[in-house]
Amino acid sequence: MTLPDPKATLLRYLDSVRDALLWKLDGLPEYDVRRPLTPTGTNLLGLVKHVASVEAGYLGLVFDRPFPDTRPWMLGDAEPNADMWATEEESREEILDLYRRVREHAAATVEALELDSRGTVPWWGEARREVSLHQILVHLVAELNRHAGQADILRETLDGSAGLVQGNDNLVEGDQAWWQAYHARLEQAARTAAGLPPA
């Protein structure tokens, strides 16, 4: 049996999480993709804008292949959290197109380099800033999975949509009544464990 190419495996996992994140915006109105849904302002379109910045840096600048369309919010002197939300002037289409182009640039970087190719992450501490492409791809799979998980919870909060990817929600089969009963059961178990009276 031939084992899969390690670079292709990393790219497959990276692409699957990229697609999962983008899917969480599908079908939502403009307000819902932009509005802050946590006390720290986390929002769906902002997550896409953020990962565009992250990938442009890690699969561009780090390997001396800078993304050619650097935005002001991608620079070190940008306003704090400028990459975490879309301004009124930035359209959903503009941010999605930017991320598509960042992904193309990232793919060209990965294609051009070997997994042991060296790079430098200037925003990491001196002791760990020298990296390999392999390390950065693992880092990106981990970071983007974190953000896709955030997006999954945000989307479920908005309209009840949940799941891994379109066509494979990776959830137990159950109708609305089943999920309500399941939720009630978990609530009761939590209350009992905490010594609280029934709800």
Side-chain angles (χ1 to χ4, degrees):
M1 175 180 157
T2 305
L3 293 175
D5 173 60
K7 187 194 289 188
T9 300
L10 288 165
L11 282 175
R12 181 170 54 85
Y13 278 93
L14 186 57
D15 278 336
S16 71
V17 72
R18 287 164 163 167
D19 293 341
L21 175 60
L22 292 174
W23 175 53
K24 296 302 175 181
L25 279 69
D26 283 358
L28 287 177
E30 198 65 26
Y31 176 66
D32 284 343
V33 298
R34 293 171 173 269
R35 66 179 168 133
L37 295 164
T38 70
T40 57
T42 308
N43 63 91
L44 289 166
L45 193 56
L47 288 172
V48 175
K49 185 177 175 181
H50 174 68
V51 298
S53 302
V54 166
E55 290 194 47
Y58 283 115
L59 290 174
L61 182 65
V62 166
F63 294 99
D64 200 26
R65 297 172 55 91
F67 180 65
D69 186 15
T70 301
R71 304 298 174 92
W73 40 266
M74 292 178 172
L75 303 175
D77 61 352
E79 171 189 335
N81 275 359
D83 66 330
M84 296 296 294
W85 63 286
T87 67
E88 299 90 332
E89 295 80 23
E90 294 169 330
S91 72
R92 180 192 315 208
E93 293 74 24
E94 176 186 353
I95 291 171
L96 293 176
D97 180 64
L98 174 69
Y99 189 39
R100 179 191 55 76
R101 291 184 290 114
V102 166
R103 284 177 69 168
E104 289 172 357
H105 182 80
T109 295
V110 173
E111 178 66 29
L113 301 176
E114 299 298 323
L115 284 178
D116 61 357
S117 295
R118 309 306 287 175
T120 303
V121 183
W123 52 90
W124 285 5
E126 187 76 34
R128 55 188 284 258
R129 68 176 41 156
E130 299 305 315
V131 296
S132 67
L133 176 62
H134 182 260
Q135 180 183 355
I136 291 302
L137 287 173
V138 170
H139 177 80
L140 286 173
V141 168
E143 179 161 347
L144 269 66
N145 266 292
R146 178 174 179 260
H147 294 312
Q150 291 172 311
D152 195 30
I153 292 168
L154 295 181
R155 181 64 188 256
E156 185 175 357
T157 301
L158 284 169
D159 67 1
S161 296
L164 182 64
V165 292
Q166 191 169 15
N168 177 15
D169 64 17
N170 205 31
L171 297 171
V172 174
E173 287 189 35
D175 60 14
Q176 185 176 2
W178 187 91
W179 284 107
Q180 287 173 341
Y182 175 73
H183 186 278
R185 181 178 176 199
L186 271 60
E187 175 65 27
Q188 187 54 53
R191 295 183 72 80
T192 300
L196 299 173

